[in-house]
Amino acid sequence: MTDRYAVFGNPVEQSKSPTIHAAFAAQTGQTMTYSKQLVALDGFSEAAEAFFAAGGKGLNITVPFKQEAYSFAARLTARARHAGAVNTLALQDDGTILGDNTDGVGMVQDLLENLGWQIRGKKVLVLGAGGAVRGVLEPLLEQLPQHVVIANRTIDKALQLAKGFAEMGYLLGCGFDMLEGQQFDLVINGTSASLAGEVPPLPNDLLTADGHCYDLMYAAQPTPFLVWARQHGARAVSDGLGMLVEQAAESFKLWRGVKPETKLVISELRDNLT
């Protein structure tokens, strides 16, 4: 019987996960199917239970179910526990469900391996304090940046997040209005402002001469944040399409025990976007 996998979300029609995992399966010679499933907003647990009861082997989880997947899992990886959210569920040999979060390691892999950027020793600014940011902080801090500042419209959320990860590195929280006079080597946009065609309120001199800017969002055209970055002297910019593929590769490795190559898949997705 062919092993079954899927992505759960609402909405989910736009998901590129089936295309990505089909490419991974073909590349690595794995026999499996991967589909996308629209799940009712109040029906995650029932849908997940039914999927695994019917022989499903693993799930990717997208918005708005990552916290529910966290609660659904019988066991959690350390990075999922710290993130407080799960984007990957995997059936284990003993019949239990393991929850993992591959978002942060996917972002770091994209930054270091695909883009050739550096994190170690760099001054890093992360914009936003929601679930997307929470999911990437631990892998980011593991790369030993000089420090990480979290800036958010609601300063209390930034401070709470900084406090929650304080044992992992030098981490500060602030409001956007407190960024004046500070400069950063790497700015990561984890807000949803790009979806509304907006950019967080940032000072014009935010970037160092070697400033790099990364948006967790991706689109066929540069996001508003990346347009801002180019206009304000960024040496290099990138959206999060590579992160999408890299986090999927981590999920695939967890399920199938083999790590696929990602660069060609990223390139093909990029071509299809444009």
Side-chain angles (χ1 to χ4, degrees), residues 23-58:
F24 289 165
Q27 176 196 126
T28 58
Q30 299 290 306
T31 302
M32 56 182 279
T33 64
Y34 189 108
S35 60
K36 50 190 171 186
Q37 182 171 331
L38 179 67
V39 176
L41 294 177
D42 61 351
F44 175 80
S45 292
E46 293 80 3
E49 286 173 0
F51 177 83
F52 286 110
K57 297 294 186 180

Side-chain angles (χ1 to χ4, degrees), residues 69-77 86 89-90 92 94-99:
Y70 180 94
S71 300
F72 181 84
R75 293 192 293 117
L76 297 165
T77 63
V86 159
L89 293 172
Q92 303 297 281
D94 63 1
T96 62
I97 305 299
L98 176 69

Side-chain angles (χ1 to χ4, degrees), residues 104-225:
V105 69
M107 181 194 75
V108 167
Q109 181 76 7
D110 191 36
L111 290 171
L112 299 182
E113 300 299 326
N114 298 328
L115 299 173
W117 297 3
Q118 295 184 9
I119 300 173
R120 188 183 183 94
K122 299 298 184 180
K123 301 172 184 176
V124 180
L125 172 65
V126 180
L127 305 175
V133 169
R134 187 177 184 90
V136 304
L137 281 178
E138 180 182 3
L140 182 64
L141 289 165
E142 286 176 345
Q143 297 303 312
L144 303 178
Q146 183 180 126
H147 64 253
V148 174
V149 173
I150 302 169
N152 193 56
R153 289 185 187 275
T154 307
I155 187 172
D156 285 348
K157 290 184 178 180
L159 292 173
Q160 289 171 10
L161 206 50
K163 182 179 179 181
F165 286 81
E167 293 183 357
M168 298 180 188
Y170 183 18
L171 193 60
L172 302 169
C174 71
F176 290 129
D177 59 343
M178 301 169 69
L179 293 173
E180 289 288 350
Q182 299 189 61
Q183 288 193 315
F184 297 90
D185 305 305
L186 173 60
V187 181
I188 298 169
N189 180 32
T191 74
S192 58
S194 290
L195 294 176
E198 300 173 355
V199 178
L202 303 172
N204 292 331
D205 57 351
L206 186 67
L207 303 175
T208 65
D210 191 41
H212 290 50
C213 290
Y214 189 88
D215 200 330
L216 300 189
M217 302 288 181
Y218 67 90
Q221 301 300 320
T223 66
F225 170 70

